[in-house]
Each structure stands twice: as structure tokens, then as C-alpha cells.
Amino acid sequence: MSKTNHAQWSSRFSFILAATGSAVGLGNIWKFPYMTGESGGAAFVLVYLLCIALIGLPILVTEWMLGRRGQSNPVNTMATVAEQAGKSRAWLLVGVAGVLGAFLILSFYSVIGGWSLYYTLGSVTGDFSGQDADGIGALFNGMLANPGLLLLWHSIFMLLVIGIVARGVTKGLEGAVNVLMPALALLLVILIGYGMTTGHFGQAVEFLFSPDWSKLNGGTVLAALGHAFFTLSLGMGIMLAYGSYLGKEVNLIKTARTVVIMDTVIALGAGLAIFPIVFANDLDLASGPSLIFVTLPLAFGNMGGGTILGLMFFLLLTFAALTSAISLLEPVTEFLEERTPLSRAASAIVAGIGAWALGIAALLSFNDWSSLTLFGLGIFDLLDKLTSKFMLPLTGLGAIIFAAWVLDKDVVREELGLSANGFKVWNLVTRFVAPIGVLVVFFASL
């Protein structure tokens, strides 16, 4: 069952905020700055931007283009556009994989969003104050060992996500990103401002922006390739769904360039906010995800004004998690709304409850179900690996191959408004460079 009256973004700016909000997630706040510092600073950033230009941006534009042509959920979009091109409807499997990937990721992403909410409250109630490393570690491990606590915050986070998406594109998605993204930017600026007072801001700037070409090797280039793909929410059905709400007047390539720049600026800004605190407190840079939930709380609990700084940091983290989570729920909601008799709100509730239920299994893998494994992985890690290593690269690859090799060239050129020479470059990148890049990411991650 398909429904008409497809929603539209009210403005290009709101769309840019929504797409950037989807791209800016938990990984941007710690992973990209850490990768940059460890992999050659500015040298790594330049390689990363080249990878974005050759892989991330073309696939982002392709998913928007397909979504805009289909004007429907990712599954219907792929079926419709394939039929229009005189090709098999089996291409809808690309849309199916995207929607399923978004659903699976949301289930465990919401668990981490719950951690962020819990730590936001903890920073207000002084849970970190005066704690030593063992105390902060015990706080984190105690949270993971408590299924009731994890369930509570996972549920609250998912309720927030469902509440936003249920309100629709204009009132829900746009309303949320129009508040959350400026708030995120403001918090980031304040935290960078604090970083300037630590006496270690120069060290952070050098760490992030001083080119060290000796650190560039096959491994760091692969890391740049991988992050260029994953940071833009590609292969999850999100950008297909977001593209379906776009009007013909939007220039896709210029808009994608803006989103990429904003995503990268926020990621580097997070580094300028975090690393001065890390250096000032002689903390471990290489602590990965625990940098956020163990290392930084230790610093916040033992510095002047740490309560306020901790609150601002975990609010920043929560806002980043929320903008990504609503984008993950959107393609599933759009699919249910257009393929079933359910209303928008009911679709969001059903999709959200499904992801929430699977999230319970994921959070139990840290405690009561820790002995339950498949291929040596707990449920949380299994969902993470299944999506990031298999589903997302293959879905992104399917979309770019379809657009580059199956769609009529004149259709693509008209959609993108490219000159003859511009289209030659586009053809080269989308037919050969981007697919090869995705395959490299896929095989390297295996």
C-alpha cells in the first residue's frame, strides 16, 4: 500500500542541518579527532578530505538523487527508479538493506545514547567529583553491569527519538535539528573557549593540524577511506529517505559539499575542545571509546568548574547522538508509513518499539547475557560488526553501481546539472573510483 502527499523540507538550510546532524554522531566527537592526531595531523585530514571527495561525496549525492527521483521510502524509491529505467525491480533490495541496516544500528546506538543521558545527569549530581581513576572506572563498569539502569536510559533515549520522528518532517525532524544543531555548535564553541584557557591549546592545535607525513602509511589511508564512508551516514537508507523530501531546485553537489565541510569542521572542533583537557590532565589519548566515559569524567571530577564543563560536554554528546538517532529511525518510519495503513506517528512508534526491543538484547550482552555469543561476539558487538563491516559498505556499493551503470546518463546529468566536462569527471569517479574505494573498505574491514 502506497500513500501520496509526500512531505518536503521547508528549506535547503533545514535539509543541510538535518543531513549534517545525521553525519555528526558519537564517532565525530572522539573517533575522528583521535584518528587525526594519531595518523599525521593535517596530513591525515588532507587524505581524509580527498577520500571524502572521491568516495563519500559521490555516494552521498547519489543517494540523495535516487531519493529525490523516487519521492518515496528507500524500498519504493529503488523499485520505482529501476522500473523507470526499464530494469529489474530486484534493485529494491538495496533499499531493503538500507532500511534494515538503519533499524539494526538504531537498536544498539540507542543504548549508547542512554549512556550519554546517564552521564549528563551524573555530571549534574556530582558523581565524578573527587573520584580517582578506579572510582570513575567502577562507575562505568557498574552502569554496564546494571541491566535495569541501562534499560531505563535506553528507554528514555528511544522515547525522545520516537517523539521527534512521530511529529513528521517539518515539525519533527526540522524542529529538532533547528534547535539541536545550533545548540551543539554553541556548546562546542564554549568548550573550545575553555580549552584556550588550559595552557595546552597550542599543543592540541599542533597535534591536530601539524602535518607529519611520516605517519601516513597504508593503514592510515585505509582508516581515512573507512571514516570517509561511515561518517556521512551512507548505506543506511537515511540519505535515500532524506533525499525523497527534496525539491528539484536544490543543487545536490553544492549542498553535499556544505554538509561535508560542516561535518569535518565539527569533528575537528571536537578535537580542539577535548584535547586541551586531555593534555592538561595528562590523560591517555589512545583510550578509544572509554576516553568519553572514563577518561574525561576523571578530568571533569578533579578540575575547577568541572561540573559545568562535564554537563556541557555530555549535553554536546547527547545532542550529537539524538540528531543521528532520529535520522536512523526516519527511513524505517517512512517505509512503514508508506507501505502499511499506519499513520506517521504509529509508524514511528512501531519502528521505535522494535528497535528498542532489540536494544534490550544488546544491553543485556554487557551483563545477564554476556555468555551468549555468536561467532565469538556478544549481541551488541555482533550488531555493530554485521552492520559496519557488511551491510553498510555493500548497500552503498549497490546504490553507486545502480546510479553509475544502470541509470540513463542523461537522467543523471539532468538531475545534477553538470556540464559535459563535469559529467565526464562524475562518470569516472562514480563508475570506477568510488566503487573500488568501497570495495577496499569492505575487504580491509574483513
Side-chain angles (χ1 to χ4, degrees):
M1 183 181 296
S2 187
K3 299 172 185 174
T4 53
N5 257 346
H6 202 67
Q8 296 282 293
W9 300 105
S10 65
S11 69
R12 177 175 174 268
F13 180 68
S14 289
F15 170 66
I16 287 172
L17 284 184
T20 305
S22 176
V24 174
L26 296 169
N28 284 65
I29 306 300
W30 70 268
K31 188 176 181 182
F32 181 67
Y34 163 70
M35 287 168 67
T36 300
E38 285 294 290
S39 305
F44 175 81
V45 174
L46 288 173
V47 173
Y48 165 76
L49 290 175
L50 181 65
C51 293
I52 279 276
L54 295 177
I55 298 176
L57 193 139
I59 299 177
L60 178 63
V61 170
T62 293
E63 292 193 9
W64 286 349
M65 177 185 71
L66 294 173
R68 184 166 72 177
R69 279 197 73 78
Q71 290 288 299
S72 188
N73 66 80
V75 179
N76 284 11
T77 278
M78 291 305 299
T80 300
V81 177
E83 281 185 336
Q84 288 171 352
K87 305 299 178 183
S88 168
R89 278 176 60 90
W91 281 100
L92 65 78
L93 291 173
V94 173
V96 171
V99 171
L100 180 60
F103 176 81
L104 295 177
I105 292 167
L106 178 60
S107 69
F108 66 86
Y109 198 89
S110 174
V111 175
I112 306 173
W115 299 356
S116 185
L117 282 174
Y118 173 66
Y119 269 67
T120 303
L121 178 66
S123 63
V124 175
T125 54
D127 287 1
F128 315 138
S129 296
Q131 294 270 24
D132 59 11
D134 290 340
I136 294 290
L139 186 73
F140 182 64
N141 292 328
M143 176 189 73
L144 292 185
N146 187 334
L149 189 66
L150 291 179
L151 176 60
L152 171 67
W153 291 104
H154 164 55
S155 303
I156 292 171
F157 185 83
M158 190 64 85
L159 274 173
L160 289 171
V161 174
I162 293 170
I164 291 167
V165 175
R167 288 171 57 81
V169 174
T170 309
K171 290 181 180 176
L173 298 182
E174 285 190 19
V177 296
N178 286 343
V179 172
L180 291 173
M181 289 306 291
L184 186 150
L186 178 62
L187 286 169
L188 198 53
V189 168
I190 293 171
L191 286 167
I192 291 171
Y194 173 80
M196 291 178 176
T197 70
T198 60
H200 291 264
F201 190 74
Q203 190 180 352
V205 170
E206 184 179 355
F207 184 69
L208 282 170
F209 298 110
S210 176
D212 183 353
W213 299 102
S214 68
K215 287 188 177 179
L216 281 184
N217 53 43
T220 53
V221 172
L222 271 177
L225 261 177
H227 199 69
F229 180 84
F230 293 116
T231 189
L232 293 175
S233 300
L234 304 175
M236 307 181 199
I238 292 170
M239 295 308 173
L240 282 167
Y242 276 19
S244 74
Y245 304 129
L246 270 180
K248 292 285 184 187
E249 74 285 353
V250 175
N251 184 305
L252 298 181
I253 293 177
K254 286 182 181 176
T255 304
R257 191 172 59 207
T258 303
V259 169
V260 165
I261 290 170
M262 288 174 65
D263 177 55
T264 307
V265 166
I266 290 173
L268 290 170
L272 292 176
I274 292 170
F275 291 143
I277 297 172
V278 171
F279 290 136
N281 292 274
D282 198 25
L283 303 174
D284 180 14
L285 269 174
S287 52
S290 67
L291 177 71
I292 288 178
F293 295 109
V294 178
T295 311
L296 284 175
L298 176 64
F300 293 140
N302 292 281
M303 64 164 64
T307 300
I308 300 297
L309 281 170
L311 173 62
M312 287 196 291
F313 176 78
F314 285 110
L315 275 176
L316 172 76
L317 199 64
T318 300
F319 292 167
L322 265 178
T323 55
S324 291
I326 60 176
S327 72
L328 286 164
L329 184 57
E330 178 56 33
V332 192
T333 299
E334 186 188 28
F335 173 77
L336 289 178
E337 184 187 8
E338 294 179 353
R339 296 289 294 249
T340 72
L342 295 174
S343 66
R344 169 77 185 194
S347 297
I349 291 167
V350 169
I353 288 175
W356 170 80
L358 184 57
I360 295 174
L363 67 85
L364 287 174
S365 68
F366 292 109
N367 39 73
D368 291 355
W369 290 2
S370 59
S371 60
L372 186 64
T373 60
L374 193 61
F375 306 115
L377 299 169
I379 296 168
F380 185 100
D381 290 333
L382 181 68
L383 289 168
D384 182 18
K385 296 286 191 295
L386 174 66
T387 51
S388 66
K389 290 189 182 297
F390 293 95
M391 296 182 72
L392 303 193
L394 293 178
T395 305
L397 183 66
I400 196 84
I401 287 174
F402 176 80
W405 291 95
V406 177
L407 268 191
D408 186 270
K409 289 182 181 179
D410 292 334
V411 167
V412 176
R413 188 173 164 185
E414 176 200 335
E415 280 282 348
L416 302 183
L418 290 168
S419 65
N421 287 334
F423 186 68
K424 283 178 184 175
V425 175
W426 173 263
N427 234 11
L428 174 67
V429 170
T430 56
R431 285 187 158 214
F432 303 104
V433 180
I436 290 169
V438 175
L439 284 172
V440 169
V441 169
F442 176 65
F443 287 115
S445 69
L446 296 181

